[in-house]
Amino acid sequence: MDKFVIRGGEPLLGTVRVSGAKNAALPCMAAALLTDQPVTLENIPLVRDIETTRKLLAAMGAEVELGYGRAHHRTTIHAEKVATPEASYELVKTMRASTLVLGPLMARCGRARVSLPGGCAIGQRPIDLHIKGLERLGAKITQDHGYIEATASRLKGAEIVLDKITVTGTEDLLMAATLAEGETILQNAAREPEVADLAALLNKMGAKIEGAGTPTIRVKGVSKLKGAKHRIIPDRIEAGTFLIAGALTGGDLNIAGCEPDHLAAILSKLKETGVKTKVTADCVRVMGDNPLTAADVTTEEYPGFPTDMQAQFMALATQAEGAAVITENIFENRFMHALELVRMGANIKIEGRRAVVRGKSPLSAAAVLASDLRASASLVLAALVADGETIIDRVYHIDRGYEKIEEKLKGVGAQIRRIGNMLP
Ligand code: UD1
């Protein structure tokens, strides 16, 4: 298993480029199942979850070219036939977002067999809302041997009010509705930019979607979708992670190729913490020369502060003067990184869904364990300012969602190396 070895204390200086958004690329890849024509996606991040999705689509009979060399960061998916509309437990257990194929498979093939994802390091994460929504569209769904079996002749448009805001649930139902008969109205839909990006691709494929990015999405079903070419939006979570890296290390870092509009909640929280930033069209410069002061943060659905930045913000809070209360509203068990940060010298008390971080604490290097994707990012951030050499184990978690993070950080002055050679 790969490890990172990080020697802290170097200010990050220069320019780091953001990759395409993993969470936009995954549903867009699944959307290629909706047509028998090729779909080409550009700005694909070369991370492990993308490779898992390639395997998932290939196992169903789709041809998937995933670009290296000249076709770098590009994929063309041609699902001329979907021979096996199935997502196996082997793949779903490594990536919960595999359930994103459920909607497209039902729409295209009228049947799907998808493993239930089971437990997860950050909470229960059920998919009941995906299932309920598909049932509203006319699917018959049963559960057997850990799998969901769904069938329908042709889905029928309906009004679906989501009990809770769910990102992949919204995406799954959006994809299902594109080929349903009649109109579907999704109420209480997720407003994340990744949902809007998926809708942009689907509309290029011939879908009729309005309102993506707002709580009400209207979809007029069509009988067929065609191939399309689409460029994936920049990864706002990767951008946010680098912003915190620049601020924490007292560096001067340009985060290039990002979409500042998608970073509003993160930038506003950094400002409250005393971090100086300068925004231009597709770049944010972070200057870490100000002292940091504690700011409370509460995770919310977009446009609120993202749960996927909570762990990284906690690393920042360890270096701010005063007490910060971090409230996690989206997932019930998303503080695993706190215990590892405490092992590095942080002062953090967990009270249910709240963590109280008292800073500023000097951090010292330790052997730590990455427990999930964003938790690993927070450990990398803490290690960048810790005294000595931190060893982070299980970095396969970080490889799921950050493209070559050690190379990007090394490029701006971090002392980081990978032991092992298991890149995606
Ligand atoms: C997506 C993101 C993930 C992010 C999360 C919240 C992808 C691939 N992943 O995950 O990075 O952390 O949004 O921004 O885009 N819920 C239910 N029933 C359901 C579905 C969800 O109760 O059927 C609950 C979840 O347990 C959670 C909340 O709704 O408490 C939000 O989860 P959801 O938005 O669905 O997260 P994901 O789409 O899995």
Side-chain angles (χ1 to χ4, degrees):
M1 254 187 250
D2 286 14
K3 294 182 173 65
F4 281 159
V5 180
I6 302 173
R7 177 166 287 282
E10 300 293 335
L12 300 189
L13 304 168
T15 298
V16 63
R17 183 157 280 279
V18 170
S19 296
K22 165 185 87 78
N23 284 356
L26 298 179
C28 287
M29 287 178 81
L33 289 171
L34 289 162
T35 172
D36 58 6
Q37 295 178 16
V39 171
T40 296
L41 302 171
E42 292 175 341
N43 204 28
I44 287 282
L46 295 178
V47 297
R48 196 180 301 270
D49 275 6
I50 296 294
E51 176 58 21
T52 305
T53 308
R54 185 194 66 74
K55 284 189 195 145
L56 182 68
L57 301 179
M60 293 178 195
E63 278 174 32
V64 189
E65 281 172 33
L66 187 53
Y68 295 91
R70 262 167 65 88
H72 209 45
H73 295 109
R74 182 189 303 173
T75 183
T76 297
I77 302 161
H78 191 184
E80 194 174 2
K81 290 206 174 65
V82 181
T84 326
E86 183 171 317
S88 72
Y89 177 59
E90 284 312 305
L91 291 171
V92 177
K93 78 174 182 203
T94 60
M95 189 187 69
R96 302 177 52 84
S98 306
T99 49
L100 278 167
V101 298
L102 192 53
L105 287 178
M106 285 308 292
R108 168 95 184 266
C109 313
R111 64 193 174 95
R113 188 167 183 267
V114 174
S115 170
L116 280 162
C120 169
I122 64 174
Q124 290 183 34
R125 301 186 81 176
I127 57 161
D128 57 313
L129 300 173
H130 303 228
I131 295 172
K132 257 168 97 174
L134 285 170
E135 283 174 341
R136 290 276 302 149
L137 296 176
K140 296 266 170 297
I141 300 184
T142 55
Q143 194 186 317
D144 200 18
H145 303 294
Y147 277 75
I148 295 165
E149 311 251 4
T151 51
S153 44
R154 184 177 174 197
L155 297 176
K156 287 202 171 46
E159 176 158 5
I160 302 171
V161 184
L162 291 159
D163 295 340
K164 199 170 175 182
I165 298 176
T166 157
V167 179
T168 50
T170 300
E171 293 164 345
D172 224 354
L173 297 172
L174 185 57
M175 289 188 277
T178 56
L179 291 177
E181 194 184 325
E183 192 181 30
T184 298
I185 303 173
L186 286 175
Q187 302 276 20
N188 201 27
R191 287 184 280 167
E192 268 66 3
E194 293 76 17
V195 174
D197 200 37
L198 169 67
L201 165 68
L202 292 168
N203 280 341
K204 285 181 194 167
M205 291 167 68
K208 294 200 166 12
I209 303 168
E210 278 177 15
T214 77
T216 303
I217 306 179
R218 288 173 190 274
V219 188
K220 285 207 175 78
V222 296
S223 56
K224 208 170 164 40
L225 293 176
K226 57 181 194 286
K229 193 168 170 184
H230 180 71
R231 187 171 174 82
I232 301 292
I233 54 169
D235 196 313
R236 62 196 167 98
I237 305 301
E238 188 195 18
T241 304
F242 289 135
L243 279 168
I244 290 188
L248 258 180
T249 60
D252 189 344
L253 200 57
N254 287 305
I255 323 296
C258 59
E259 174 48 82
D261 282 353
H262 297 166
L263 297 169
I266 298 168
L267 289 171
S268 130
K269 210 31 91 176
L270 286 176
K271 191 171 176 195
E272 221 181 301
T273 315
V275 177
K276 273 197 291 181
T277 56
K278 195 166 169 232
V279 176
T280 49
D282 70 343
C283 184
V284 183
R285 179 175 170 198
V286 57
M287 293 146 282
D289 48 3
N290 270 3
L292 302 174
T293 47
D296 296 344
V297 71
T298 300
T299 64
E300 283 164 10
E301 294 88 1
Y302 191 84
F305 189 91
T307 173
D308 284 351
M309 281 299 298
Q310 178 259 106
Q312 300 89 315
F313 189 83
M314 191 180 285
L316 184 72
T318 68
Q319 299 308 296
E321 285 299 336
V325 180
I326 299 180
T327 309
E328 174 54 60
N329 269 336
I330 308 294
F331 294 111
E332 67 271 22
N333 186 27
R334 205 172 196 182
F335 284 141
M336 306 280 271
H337 46 282
L339 301 172
E340 299 299 292
L341 293 173
V342 167
R343 296 189 56 247
M344 296 176 74
N347 180 345
I348 306 169
K349 296 263 175 315
I350 307 287
E351 299 159 1
R353 282 179 177 259
R354 296 190 326 161
V356 182
V357 186
R358 287 196 169 75
K360 169 183 181 178
S361 311
L363 298 183
S364 65
V368 289
L369 208 61
S371 58
D372 71 65
L373 171 54
R374 307 303 170 186
S376 0
S378 87
L379 298 179
V380 168
L381 292 171
L384 290 174
V385 288
D387 181 34
E389 213 168 60
T390 296
I391 298 175
I392 305 179
D393 202 351
R394 298 198 187 163
V395 298
Y396 59 83
H397 286 295
I398 210 163
D399 292 334
R400 285 190 42 216
Y402 287 86
E403 179 172 332
K404 297 187 179 154
I405 191 169
E406 76 278 23
E407 287 181 21
K408 290 193 184 187
L409 288 173
K410 213 186 291 173
V412 288
Q415 289 210 30
I416 174 169
R417 66 194 157 88
R418 179 185 287 263
I419 312 179
N421 187 22
M422 300 269 292
L423 271 176

